[in-house]
Amino acid sequence: MTRVTPRRPGGRTARNTAAVLDATLAELGESGYAGLTVERVAARSGVHKATIYRRWGGADGLLAAALEQADHDSWTPPDTGALESDLRALGEEVAAGFSAAAEEGEEGNVATATIAAAFQSPAAAEALRAFMEERLRRCAEVVARAERRGEVPEGTDAAEVVRAAVAPVYFRLFISREEGAAEAAARAAQVAAGAAKAGTFRAGPSDR
Amino acid sequence: MTRVTPRRPGGRTARNTAAVLDATLAELGESGYAGLTVERVAARSGVHKATIYRRWGGADGLLAAALEQADHDSWTPPDTGALESDLRALGEEVAAGFSAAAEEGEEGNVATATIAAAFQSPAAAEALRAFMEERLRRCAEVVARAERRGEVPEGTDAAEVVRAAVAPVYFRLFISREEGAAEAAARAAQVAAGAAKAGTFRAGPSDR
DNA sequence: TCCCTAATGCGACGGAAGTTGCACTATGAC
DNA sequence: GTCATAGTGCAACTTCCGTCGCATTAGGGA
């Protein structure tokens, strides 16, 4: 139904794609997913709404496409020289990004919007899954460095360490809706790093 | 605007309230928050949609009211005799509840719907915050028992221990959208219990 | 029991979202 | 350069959501 890869990818089609995805990101930054409307994107991009419905299927398709594009950025995890401070910086980055997004109209809103959209749309859920998988993969470097320094035992499940460090931040932001996500980052980093050093995260049933 | 507490709480008003909230829960179980519509609730409950809009303001108000009602249940945390297995049971309960909800049309959907709605509606966000606060408060008993048994040092921040144990489960369910939430519960319980015993969770800046 | 009025029912209206059929434009193969 | 057609623009249409004014009903104090 939805043609994501047109058979004529050149010229006008390419320009339309770029204009629509740009407009989508801008709208997300301003209004979040709840305010993301095909009609507004159409008006902003100058592309007719029928075209958008045909090519992306709706608001969820727009979001998935925009996220897939954002996925190709050059983000790398922090490198402070020690596992715990790396994890803390990671968590604080998450907390800061989402907190700022909630107040201003920042681009962190795109991530928030995607998490929200994943509840309603399989396409968005899949886009989010792929995005987070990629992020966790890049974060594995943090644990790999710690392993090289001898901070943690060999065979440590890197992704699991990172999950333990950032999960409490997301929990406070989106599940329990409490304040103090930034402080939680420090505590979680301490816990995760401690457990990693003690060997609790050595590749168990979930290594992958 | 929205009159949550009518001045005539008896008779028809009470019957309408019950019928509407029942219908809301049923709709949530079948279609989630995305499919929660005032018109459908009106049709199902036999109460006119204008009445629903006047008293609850919209879909988000319905959800908040339904959740507030569910908040008054008699749920208590598991008691297995040891901290780590208590935490594991807790996390597995969460994982099972939400996984089942995702497949069938179960009541766990109400919680999922609330988390989703919190992204769009301040009322739902506040309802979710209150609900989770109450749940965390009840879960503190798990840590209190461990403290009495001497498993963890005095002054351990109970809520923080519970957050560390369940956050990775929620993270996999709703943020990274990975499989294996149940397995994550075991690992997280191990990490949280270990850190608690080591005194990492002794009341820090975030005791409250 | 009576009576004031809070609460509800009812229908119509305005607006926004999404769909569809048709005409037109410009891409890319030749 | 030419030409078939993928892709787009356009406008009308249907459906659904939320609001409003007014008539009607029933709660609960007297």
Side-chain angles (χ1 to χ4, degrees):
Chain A
M1 315 295 136
T2 306
R3 175 152 299 286
V4 181
T5 311
R7 297 185 196 172
R8 282 183 187 173
R12 183 166 62 166
T13 298
R15 285 195 301 277
N16 279 349
T17 301
V20 167
L21 294 188
D22 279 355
T24 300
L25 290 175
E27 286 290 325
L28 282 176
E30 291 177 9
S31 325
Y33 182 68
L36 182 65
T37 269
V38 172
E39 306 229 22
R40 290 177 63 90
V41 172
R44 186 170 206 144
S45 65
V47 177
H48 198 84
K49 70 169 179 172
T51 298
I52 299 181
Y53 278 113
R54 280 189 280 246
R55 287 189 54 195
W56 287 277
D60 61 334
L62 284 176
L63 185 130
L67 190 73
E68 194 176 355
Q69 187 176 256
D71 191 341
H72 298 318
D73 66 3
S74 57
W75 180 89
T76 53
D79 184 2
T80 64
L83 178 61
E84 182 177 331
S85 51
D86 274 4
L87 292 176
R88 188 184 331 125
L90 202 55
E92 284 170 352
E93 196 174 305
V94 171
F98 285 103
S99 302
E103 291 167 13
E104 313 161 33
E106 290 299 319
E107 67 174 41
N109 251 346
V110 178
T112 307
T114 308
I115 296 172
F119 285 92
Q120 301 177 29
S121 151
E126 171 53 26
L128 174 59
R129 195 202 56 72
F131 180 82
M132 292 301 297
E133 184 181 30
E134 171 64 14
R135 284 296 155 117
L136 279 178
R137 203 187 57 71
R138 294 189 200 177
C139 287
E141 177 60 20
V142 164
V143 180
R145 287 196 299 254
E147 200 172 313
R148 273 184 241 120
R149 285 189 298 257
E151 280 194 88
V152 302
E154 285 186 24
T156 296
D157 185 341
E160 196 64 27
V161 176
V162 176
R163 288 192 198 98
V166 301
V169 178
Y170 285 102
F171 180 81
R172 283 181 185 253
L173 285 171
F174 302 123
I175 310 296
S176 70
R177 297 266 164 183
E178 301 168 274
E179 299 293 327
E183 296 75 21
R187 179 66 63 95
Q190 191 185 359
V191 172
K197 290 174 186 175
T200 311
F201 288 116
R202 257 175 311 203
S206 61
D207 55 331
R208 192 194 203 165
Chain B
M1 315 293 143
T2 306
R3 175 152 301 288
V4 182
T5 311
R7 299 185 196 172
R8 281 183 185 173
R12 182 166 63 166
T13 297
R15 284 195 302 277
N16 279 349
T17 301
V20 167
L21 294 188
D22 278 356
T24 300
L25 290 175
E27 286 290 324
L28 281 177
E30 290 177 10
S31 325
Y33 182 67
L36 182 66
T37 270
V38 172
E39 306 229 21
R40 290 178 62 91
V41 172
R44 186 169 205 144
S45 65
V47 176
H48 196 84
K49 69 171 179 170
T51 298
I52 298 181
Y53 277 113
R54 277 188 283 247
R55 288 188 54 196
W56 287 276
D60 59 336
L62 285 175
L63 185 130
L67 189 73
E68 194 175 356
Q69 186 176 258
D71 190 342
H72 297 319
D73 67 3
S74 58
W75 181 89
T76 53
D79 185 2
T80 64
L83 178 61
E84 182 178 332
S85 51
D86 273 4
L87 292 176
R88 189 184 333 125
L90 202 56
E92 285 170 350
E93 197 173 304
V94 171
F98 285 102
S99 303
E103 291 167 14
E104 314 159 34
E106 291 298 320
E107 66 174 40
N109 251 349
V110 179
T112 308
T114 309
I115 297 172
F119 285 91
Q120 299 175 30
S121 152
E126 171 54 26
L128 174 60
R129 196 202 56 72
F131 180 82
M132 292 301 298
E133 185 181 27
E134 171 64 14
R135 283 298 154 114
L136 278 178
R137 204 187 57 71
R138 294 188 199 176
C139 286
E141 177 60 21
V142 164
V143 180
R145 286 195 300 254
E147 201 171 313
R148 273 184 243 117
R149 285 190 299 257
E151 279 195 88
V152 301
E154 284 186 26
T156 296
D157 184 341
E160 196 63 27
V161 176
V162 176
R163 288 192 199 98
V166 302
V169 178
Y170 284 101
F171 180 81
R172 283 181 184 254
L173 285 171
F174 302 123
I175 310 296
S176 69
R177 297 267 164 183
E178 300 167 272
E179 299 291 328
E183 295 76 20
R187 179 65 63 94
Q190 191 186 359
V191 171
K197 290 174 186 175
T200 311
F201 289 116
R202 257 175 311 205
S206 60
D207 56 329
R208 189 193 206 166

